[in-house]
Amino acid sequence: MSTHDGAAPDARGPLADLRVVEMGQLLAGPFCGQLLGDFGAEVIKLESPGAGDPMRQWGREKPHGKSLWWPVVARNKKSVTCDLRTPEGQDLARRVIDRADIVVENFRPGTLERWGMGFDRLRETNPGLILVRVSGFGQTGPYSPRAGYGSIGEAMGGIRYVTGDPGGAPARAGISLGDSLAAVFATIGALVAVHHRGATGRGQIVDSAIYEAVLAMMESLLPEWAVAGYQRERTGSVLPNVSPSNVYPTASGEMILIAANQDTVFGRLARTMGRPELSADPRFAGHADRGRNMAELDGIISAWSAGIETGDLLELLHAGGVPAGRIYTAKDMFDDPHFAAREAIVRLVHPDFGELPMHNAFPRLSETPGSVRRPGPGLGEHNREVYGGLLDLPEDEIAALSERGVI
């Protein structure tokens, strides 16, 4: 593993001995870079001169004309400008990659090869290099050349079909689920490849396709169809034959989630409701029984919950050992003592926004935790540090490259 040109591993994270070059833009590749950076990897992001990653402009709310998404997805990274469509820019990129452990890219398959940066070319001078490739359909197969956004991968991977209300059109989650899943699996693949390299000295390609990342989350969808002839359909706020597990009204006019579908937990819910006989009722006694009579059981629970204020209802359920909770908005997260106690939200100082909150590094490690050290950088903020320090280019050469628009 690289230790940043002989320097001691950075104490800020367990991956501080890894250098990552992040290429590509928007979300799937950059989220992988964010995850690696959260645990201390040095992440050098290559961006087009002048404009940079379009994510700098994405997001609905843009105070000061700037994205609130960019400081999150680009946190802990260094920004270097480099025109990868020019021979000079490609040469610069290869020189940086020669000093890297991992390259993350999410271009359409074949793009790096056209730029003279295919894996075979890169590993000639860096045999331990790990190339993480995130794309819509993967690096092989008849669909690989197609443009593939996360939404298309979600549709092809199966999650869109089963999301939404029965009888309605397939729905989407309000986040970029497919891109994020592909990035998480890409990160897992990168760390597996680092482990393998430790034993063999050899790098490899990590191929993370968005549609396959979604497919990996689809539980028993495939054997249900192949073996039982059952096609999952959209079921709204419930899962078929899993009851009670739904949203229920309160006297405060709110809706809360109650999940008591396991036999023992349903017994606790029945006692909490003052209706212990429900757990012995033939309609509700077993898991399959409750699934067949879901609508009737939901009606009984709703009639009970609707007469109790939200706070009192949740106290009753928690005291009774029944999983239940509010459906949180961002405001609720800021107000919640559990979020505060676990430092799930971290606050950084941003040059334009002042104090800027965002979710903390995750998962939690007891000995080598990750951290959020700085928000997303300005475009080309680290040009001199990387080109002058890492590549040892003289100041006049860096200035000339800038004047020619290469960086």
Side-chain angles (χ1 to χ4, degrees), residues 75-331:
R75 68 193 195 186
N76 297 329
K77 298 179 185 178
K78 298 176 180 179
S79 172
V80 167
T81 51
C82 183
D83 189 349
L84 295 172
R85 292 169 174 78
T86 66
E88 281 185 289
Q90 293 159 10
D91 178 66
L92 273 177
R94 283 191 293 267
R95 293 171 67 183
V96 175
I97 290 169
D98 279 346
R99 294 160 173 81
D101 300 281
I102 300 170
V103 169
V104 178
E105 64 97 358
N106 65 312
F107 300 115
R108 193 182 300 190
T111 301
L112 282 188
E113 287 74 11
R114 289 197 303 273
W115 291 343
M117 286 186 282
F119 185 61
D120 289 342
R121 175 82 177 270
L122 295 176
R123 76 187 309 181
E124 288 175 1
T125 50
N126 189 352
L129 182 69
I130 295 161
L131 178 59
V132 178
R133 314 196 74 170
V134 187
S135 61
F137 307 102
Q139 301 299 310
T140 59
Y143 300 166
S144 62
R146 295 181 181 178
Y149 272 19
S151 57
I152 308 303
E154 292 168 20
M156 185 174 171
I159 201 165
R160 284 293 183 99
Y161 185 82
V162 299
T163 303
D165 290 322
R172 68 162 296 164
I175 57 170
S176 301
L177 186 62
D179 288 304
S180 298
L181 284 173
V184 170
F185 281 106
T187 304
I188 295 171
L191 297 177
V192 171
V194 169
H195 181 77
H196 175 262
R197 188 183 66 176
T200 66
R202 291 179 56 82
Q204 60 182 299
I205 296 172
V206 177
D207 181 355
S208 181
I210 295 173
Y211 88 95
E212 287 174 339
V214 173
L215 180 63
M217 306 303 293
M218 295 309 296
E219 300 174 348
S220 55
L221 179 107
L222 294 177
E224 284 171 358
W225 171 254
V227 177
Y230 172 71
Q231 172 63 57
R232 288 199 190 190
E233 300 291 343
R234 292 180 287 285
T235 56
S237 62
V238 300
L239 290 174
N241 302 317
V242 177
S243 178
S245 183
N246 207 339
V247 292
Y248 301 93
T250 75
S252 308
E254 298 179 87
M255 301 291 288
I256 68 164
L257 274 165
I258 300 175
N261 47 287
Q262 189 178 350
D263 288 350
T264 55
V265 181
F266 179 65
R268 295 200 293 266
L269 173 61
R271 290 191 294 274
T272 300
M273 294 171 62
R275 299 282 304 276
E277 72 279 2
L278 289 175
S279 60
D281 189 312
R283 297 170 297 171
F284 313 129
H287 179 80
D289 303 316
R290 292 190 296 277
R292 284 191 298 270
N293 297 286
M294 178 185 296
E296 187 175 1
L297 181 55
D298 280 346
I300 293 171
I301 297 171
S302 293
W304 169 73
S305 66
I308 307 173
E309 297 291 327
T310 302
D312 295 336
L313 178 59
L314 287 171
E315 284 187 15
L316 276 173
L317 291 165
H318 295 156
V322 180
R326 286 184 167 90
I327 301 170
Y328 276 20
T329 64
K331 179 182 182 300

Side-chain angles (χ1 to χ4, degrees), residues 68 71-72 75 330 334 344-350 353-360 372 375:
L68 287 168
V72 178
R75 68 193 195 186
F334 283 111
I345 298 172
V346 65
R347 289 168 169 81
L348 284 71
V349 176
H350 189 276
F353 305 132
E355 183 180 88
L356 183 68
M358 61 183 72
H359 55 274
N360 209 341
V372 184

